[in-house]
């Protein structure tokens, strides 16, 4: 969740009933002038000047709820003064108990401060005033998701989609939650709708790929991962998963390229180095294979699977029994359970 508090409908706020007569008109007009000035300064990123203008507006008109609200936004966004921002939002609410936007922004500030119970309370208050307040529903859903209150998050995202069926963020979030709950078909339906609306949504394509893989729909998974990396060329896990699929299909050079891209993007990706070693060994690029296995082990010394693959490499490709046995022993020390390896090491001891 972004800590950025929204400058929502400020122009509209200026149109709120500022109608006075007689002696109070001039003061009200002066307060409105400072408020307008503060709004312009805030929109330009001149937060210190905006705060000063808004304090002058409040000094002239102490019950100016909108000025307190905008001052809270300035404190939060520009000056990172979250306690002061919370106090300003609370003052705006005190002056206008139906100020839904102030409740919403107060809820965001509480989230930044780690006050999740209070944040939930304020967001619910905003929604009690304005039940179709989309931004407040999104913030509440995200809060529940961070708290791992997944049933509540599912309900909140569902409410968002009931209001706005094409809400991209809610479609992805609910699809992700459904998949994590084993509701793969419902997840797939939401994500398929999402990528029709936004064909370059890399995360949605990636998740569709993982769903397809679990269903053993390899062609569909491959297509989804290709779309993910096309949409986001630096999508590390999509490159890795695509490489794994290509390796299983025997498309070795294409697989090697995906694994090379993976380790270029994330040099500490031990599993990618290990799989690159497997591909190189199948291509009979033995020096490259050995280096890839050794790099995987260097990155993750307790990676039993890397020792197993390196042992197989020494045994079958290099015909080096001594190094194969030493590597297999290390594999077993790390908890490896392959029965063939256990038998080889046991027989050698005899």
């Amino acid at each position: 969740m972004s800590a950025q508090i929204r400058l929502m409908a400020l122009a509209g706020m200026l149109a709120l009933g500022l109608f006075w007569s007689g002696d109070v008109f001039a003061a009200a007009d002066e307060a409105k002038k400072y408020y307008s000035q503060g709004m312009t300064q805030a929109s330009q990123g001149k937060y210190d000047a905006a705060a000063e203008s808004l304090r002058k507006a409040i000094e002239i008109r102490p019950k100016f709820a909108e000025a307190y609200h905008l001052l809270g936004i300035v404190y939060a966004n520009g000056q990172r003064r979250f306690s002061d921002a919370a106090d300003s939002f609370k003052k705006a609410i005190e002056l206008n108990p139906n100020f839904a936007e102030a409740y919403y922004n107060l809820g965001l500030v509480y989230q930044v401060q780690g006050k999740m119970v209070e944040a939930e309370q304020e967001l619910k208050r905003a929604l009690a005033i304005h039940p179709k307040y989309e931004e407040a529903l999104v913030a509440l859903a995200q809060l529940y998701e961070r708290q791992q209150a997944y049933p509540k998050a599912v309900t909140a995202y569902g409410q968002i989609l009931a209001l706005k069926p094409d809400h991209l963020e809610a479609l992805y979030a609910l699809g992700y939650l459904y998949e994590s709950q084993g509701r793969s078909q419902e997840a797939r339906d939401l994500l398929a709708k999402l990528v029709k609306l936004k064909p370059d949504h890399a995360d949605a394509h990636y998740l569709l790929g993982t769903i397809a893989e679990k269903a053993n729909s390899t062609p569909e998974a491959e297509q989804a991962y290709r779309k993910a990396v096309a949409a986001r060329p630096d999508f590390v896990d999509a490159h890795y998963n695509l490489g794994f699929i290509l390796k299983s299909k025997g498309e070795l050079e294409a697989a090697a390229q995906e694994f090379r891209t993976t380790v270029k993007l994330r040099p500490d990706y031990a599993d990618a180095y290990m799989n690159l070693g497997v591909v190189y060994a199948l291509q009979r690029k033995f020096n490259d294979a050995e280096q890839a296995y050794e790099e995987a082990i260097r990155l993750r010394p307790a990676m039993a699977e890397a020792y197993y693959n390196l042992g197989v490499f020494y045994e079958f490709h290099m015909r080096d029994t001594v190094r194969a046995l030493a590597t297999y022993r290390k594999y077993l020390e790390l908890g490896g359970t392959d029965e063939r390896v256990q038998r080889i090491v046991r027989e050698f001891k005899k």
Side-chain angles (χ1 to χ4, degrees):
M1 188 273 300
S2 172
Q4 194 77 358
I5 309 300
R6 298 171 58 255
L7 288 165
M8 178 181 178
L10 293 176
M13 290 178 186
L14 291 175
L16 294 176
L18 298 175
F19 299 106
W20 295 273
S21 59
D23 295 337
V24 298
F25 183 84
D29 192 59
E30 186 75 1
K32 180 180 175 181
K33 182 191 76 173
Y34 279 118
Y35 176 75
S36 299
Q37 182 174 290
M39 180 176 64
T40 299
Q41 290 164 332
S43 68
Q44 295 172 341
K46 299 176 182 178
Y47 293 111
D48 291 345
E52 183 61 28
S53 295
L54 293 165
R55 284 192 288 265
K56 287 179 180 177
I58 291 167
E59 183 178 352
I60 295 167
R61 184 186 164 204
K63 295 184 179 182
F64 200 161
E66 292 79 10
Y68 275 108
H69 178 250
L70 181 53
L71 182 58
I73 292 173
V74 169
Y75 282 149
N77 282 359
Q79 300 178 324
R80 314 295 290 177
R81 294 167 56 180
F82 295 115
S83 294
D84 290 333
D87 289 341
S88 292
F89 291 137
K90 284 188 278 189
K91 184 64 178 179
I93 290 166
E94 177 187 326
L95 293 168
N96 179 5
N98 293 316
F99 204 155
E101 182 76 2
Y103 286 110
Y104 165 70
N105 282 329
L106 180 56
L108 295 187
V109 166
Y110 280 149
Q111 287 192 65
V112 173
Q113 294 177 313
K115 299 177 180 179
M116 298 304 177
V117 173
E118 293 87 343
E120 179 184 2
Q121 182 180 25
E122 299 307 326
L123 292 171
K124 284 183 173 179
R125 285 172 174 167
L127 288 164
I129 296 166
H130 183 6
K132 295 183 179 181
Y133 195 160
E134 178 185 318
E135 291 83 0
L137 272 172
V138 171
L140 187 60
Q142 291 172 338
L143 183 148
Y144 288 144
E145 197 170 355
R146 279 192 298 277
Q147 291 180 314
Q148 299 183 358
Y150 297 129
K152 289 183 178 180
V154 166
T155 298
Y157 282 123
Q159 290 175 315
I160 296 165
L161 291 175
L163 292 173
K164 188 176 179 181
D166 293 346
H167 194 287
L168 301 182
E169 187 176 1
L171 284 168
Y172 178 75
L174 190 53
Y176 183 90
L177 288 171
Y178 278 160
E179 170 58 13
S180 69
Q181 295 174 342
R183 299 165 65 176
S184 295
Q185 186 56 53
E186 292 169 277
R188 189 182 183 283
D189 291 343
L190 288 172
L191 296 166
K193 179 178 180 179
L194 173 55
V195 296
K196 285 182 180 179
L197 294 167
K198 185 174 175 54
D200 63 346
H201 198 298
D203 290 309
H205 284 300
Y206 177 79
L207 190 50
L208 282 167
T210 64
I211 292 170
E213 265 198 284
K214 287 200 299 185
N216 295 315
S217 299
T218 302
E220 184 181 345
E222 179 183 347
Q223 183 182 39
Y225 292 137
R226 288 190 184 280
K227 288 180 179 179
V229 298
R232 191 192 306 163
D234 63 350
F235 200 150
V236 175
D237 289 331
H239 281 291
Y240 176 78
N241 286 6
L242 179 56
F244 205 89
I245 287 176
L246 294 170
K247 183 186 75 170
S248 70
K249 292 173 62 181
E251 297 181 19
L252 299 181
E253 186 50 42
Q257 183 57 50
E258 293 301 326
F259 291 133
R260 284 192 294 264
T261 300
T262 301
V263 298
K264 182 179 180 181
L265 292 169
R266 189 188 298 171
D268 62 348
Y269 205 143
D271 289 285
Y273 274 110
M274 185 187 69
N275 280 284
L276 186 55
V278 173
V279 172
Y280 281 149
L282 292 170
Q283 291 179 305
R284 302 188 67 79
K285 297 179 179 179
F286 296 142
N287 289 336
D288 291 336
E290 186 175 18
Q291 290 175 14
Y293 287 134
E294 288 175 346
E295 183 64 13
I297 289 169
R298 186 190 70 79
L299 290 167
R300 198 189 305 168
M303 188 179 185
E305 189 177 0
Y307 283 100
Y308 173 82
N309 281 285
L310 182 57
V312 170
F313 170 76
Y314 285 140
E315 181 182 2
F316 293 103
H317 294 290
M318 304 301 289
R319 307 295 181 183
D320 189 333
T321 304
V322 174
R323 285 200 288 180
L325 282 168
T327 307
Y328 283 149
R329 287 194 188 99
K330 185 65 177 179
Y331 161 73
L332 295 176
E333 288 174 11
L334 292 170
T337 59
D338 184 86
E339 293 181 1
R340 190 188 71 86
V341 173
Q342 290 177 338
R343 186 176 65 255
I344 290 171
V345 173
R346 187 168 56 246
E347 290 176 354
F348 180 79
K349 288 180 180 179
K350 293 180 181 178

